[in-house]
């Protein structure tokens, strides 16, 4: 089942002078037998109001972070405060101040959608006509009114996820945790869920912490993004801030055959007006103020080095480029590594810790 509170929603996002963050974590460390380091000193601050996206590949530490913040796991070291309550000293208060939509559905498949909501509300002290109005209102808002009296086991995947969101909202939480809310959904259902989350953020006036491994999802929904890699937040900022720091165009080259990076990188690094040069097997990425003008120069240098180019693309900065800069690898490579058997593992971070977009030295 999901968790939540009995009181009303929080006010709009505060200024620096108005009240504390909704979520604050410092130095979180969590290891599992193996040994596996899931969190390696993770620090995170979520301002009250709006949506923060915790973005990273599978195995980066996102779900472990959510488990600690929602009192489902204890850190080996570090501290965290959620909705003003310490997760270790006052876990019961935290549970009554949050809603949680976990990766797996918390609904009872043998009950109807409406019965699930009524039971959830009663668990947190809601009763009578007020509870009924809240349940019916959420069913209508999330497009489940026509299915309210149907057993949940007959719901589609998208309908089950919308019901999970309703369960997390029945008691008007201060902070709502959405852990990979669209994983397993087809593209149409995923887009519909994105629309619902965007509406919730605008209408419910609550803080949402969203974990995801979908770059587009984070870019579309989150007002701020914290990129997680190997158990640490490596950079944090708004999507525009993060992409804006990568001035110019991203140029990506696909080679016909893998090449020796120790030969290519010095040749590419010697070219003027290129930044963030990276080579990995058959792929080369650079940044340039004028990507279109840089392509023929790059092709000439690579040809002289014996590397034949199969394809070249020029694009504006993306979150994938941000991830490459701060994590030192492409997002899809990190995701493929996790899916290939490394999920849940986390080596010590390559970088020196969290960076904030716009901070001196980030460029």
């Amino acid at each position: 089942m999901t968790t939540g509170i009995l009181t009303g929603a929080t006010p709009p996002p505060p200024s620096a002078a108005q009240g504390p963050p909704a979520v604050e974590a410092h130095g979180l460390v969590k290891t599992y037998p193996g040994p596996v380091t899931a969190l390696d000193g993770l620090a995170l601050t979520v301002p009250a109001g709006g949506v923060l996206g915790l973005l990273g590949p599978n195995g980066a530490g996102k779900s472990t972070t959510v488990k600690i913040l929602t009192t489902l796991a204890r850190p080996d070291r570090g501290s965290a405060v959620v909705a003003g309550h310490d997760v270790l000293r006052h876990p019961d208060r935290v549970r009554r101040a949050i809603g949680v939509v976990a990766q797996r559905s918390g609904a009872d498949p043998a009950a109807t959608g409406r019965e699930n909501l009524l039971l959830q509300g009663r668990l947190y002290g809601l009763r009578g006509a007020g509870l009924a109005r809240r349940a019916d209102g959420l069913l209508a808002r999330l497009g489940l009114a026509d299915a309210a009296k149907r057993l949940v086991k007959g719901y589609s995947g998208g309908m089950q996820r919308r019901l999970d969101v309703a369960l997390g909202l029945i008691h008007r939480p201060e902070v709502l945790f959405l852990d990979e809310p669209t994983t397993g959904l087809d593209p149409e259902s995923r887009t519909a869920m994105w629309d619902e989350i965007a509406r919730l953020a605008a209408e419910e006036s609550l803080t949402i912490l969203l974990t995801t491994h979908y770059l587009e999802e984070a870019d579309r929904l989150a007002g701020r993004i914290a990129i997680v890699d190997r158990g640490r937040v490596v950079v944090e900022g708004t999507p525009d801030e993060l992409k804006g720091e990568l001035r110019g165009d991203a140029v990506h080259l696909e080679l016909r055959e893998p090449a020796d990076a120790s030969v290519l990188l010095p040749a590419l690094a010697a070219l003027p007006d290129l930044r963030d040069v990276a080579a990995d097997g058959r792929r080369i990425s650079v940044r340039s103020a004028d990507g279109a003008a840089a392509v023929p120069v790059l092709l000439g240098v690579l040809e002289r080095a014996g590397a034949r180019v199969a394809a070249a693309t020029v694009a504006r900065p993306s979150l994938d480029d941000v991830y490459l800069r701060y994590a030192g690898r492409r997002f899809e490579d990190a995701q493929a590594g996790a899916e290939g058997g490394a999920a849940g593992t986390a080596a010590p971070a390559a970088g020196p810790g969290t960076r904030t977009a716009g901070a001196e030295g980030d460029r």
Side-chain angles (χ1 to χ4, degrees):
M1 276 289 182
T2 54
T3 55
I5 65 164
L6 313 178
T7 58
T10 56
S15 68
Q18 291 178 317
V23 178
E24 198 165 16
H26 299 284
L28 293 181
V29 174
K30 183 65 177 179
T31 58
Y32 295 102
V36 173
T37 301
L39 298 181
D40 188 23
L42 182 138
L44 180 69
T45 299
V46 183
V51 181
L52 182 132
L54 205 57
L55 173 66
N58 291 334
K62 306 184 303 297
S63 291
T64 299
T65 300
V66 169
K67 287 180 180 179
I68 290 173
L69 296 177
T70 58
T71 76
L72 297 177
R74 293 177 63 90
D76 300 332
R77 293 195 300 277
S79 62
V81 175
V82 177
H85 308 297
D86 189 287
V87 299
L88 296 178
R89 288 186 290 179
H90 303 292
D92 56 333
R93 298 179 187 176
V94 173
R95 292 169 194 150
R96 296 174 69 83
I98 62 175
V100 181
V101 179
Q103 290 190 34
R104 294 188 177 184
S105 177
D108 180 356
T112 69
R114 192 172 190 272
E115 288 170 345
N116 269 277
L117 286 172
L118 294 177
L119 174 59
Q120 181 77 353
R122 293 188 191 106
L123 290 174
Y124 292 94
L126 303 181
R127 296 289 187 272
L131 172 57
R133 284 193 300 270
R134 178 64 172 169
D136 292 338
L138 287 171
L139 288 166
R141 174 182 295 180
L142 292 166
L144 295 172
D146 292 340
K149 297 181 179 181
R150 287 168 48 190
L151 297 181
V152 172
K153 64 183 180 182
Y155 281 17
S156 67
M159 293 169 67
Q160 287 190 19
R161 294 310 280 165
R162 295 201 301 275
L163 179 61
D164 288 331
V165 172
L167 289 168
L169 291 170
I170 188 70
H171 31 271
R172 293 186 172 87
E174 295 180 44
V175 183
L176 178 66
F177 291 87
L178 300 175
D179 191 9
E180 302 278 3
T182 64
T183 295
L185 298 183
D186 60 74
E188 183 178 356
S189 297
R190 182 176 297 135
T191 299
M193 179 59 73
W194 288 351
D195 292 340
E196 297 295 350
I197 293 171
R199 279 195 290 268
L200 286 173
E203 296 172 5
E204 287 284 326
S205 297
L206 79 166
T207 302
I208 297 177
L209 192 152
L210 166 79
T211 75
T212 182
H213 62 271
Y214 295 120
L215 296 169
E216 183 184 359
E217 184 165 275
D219 203 357
R220 176 168 172 172
L221 295 178
R224 293 185 64 81
I225 293 174
I227 294 180
V228 184
D229 185 62
R230 299 184 174 100
R232 291 185 178 182
V233 173
V234 295
V235 68
E236 182 176 350
T238 70
D240 287 342
E241 286 173 347
L242 295 174
K243 291 181 288 187
E245 287 189 348
L246 303 179
R247 300 179 304 279
D249 299 324
V251 181
H252 302 296
L253 304 170
E254 184 81 16
L255 303 180
R256 294 185 182 274
E257 299 173 350
D260 187 351
S262 65
V263 175
L264 297 183
L265 286 177
L268 295 173
L271 294 175
D273 302 322
L274 292 185
R275 309 184 300 279
D276 300 337
V277 180
D280 181 15
R282 295 175 55 192
R283 290 184 294 184
I284 295 172
S285 299
V286 303
R287 301 206 63 77
S288 172
D290 187 343
V295 168
V297 178
L298 288 166
L299 294 178
V301 170
L302 291 172
E303 183 178 357
R304 290 191 291 273
R308 295 187 301 164
V309 176
T313 59
V314 178
R316 299 301 299 165
S318 68
L319 288 181
D320 190 30
D321 298 315
V322 174
Y323 187 87
L324 173 64
R325 180 182 186 188
Y326 288 103
R329 51 183 177 162
R330 301 213 70 84
F331 194 90
E332 65 182 55
D333 293 335
Q335 183 71 8
E339 293 173 351
T345 63
T354 306
R355 301 180 184 227
T356 301
E360 183 177 356
D362 279 357
R363 290 181 171 81

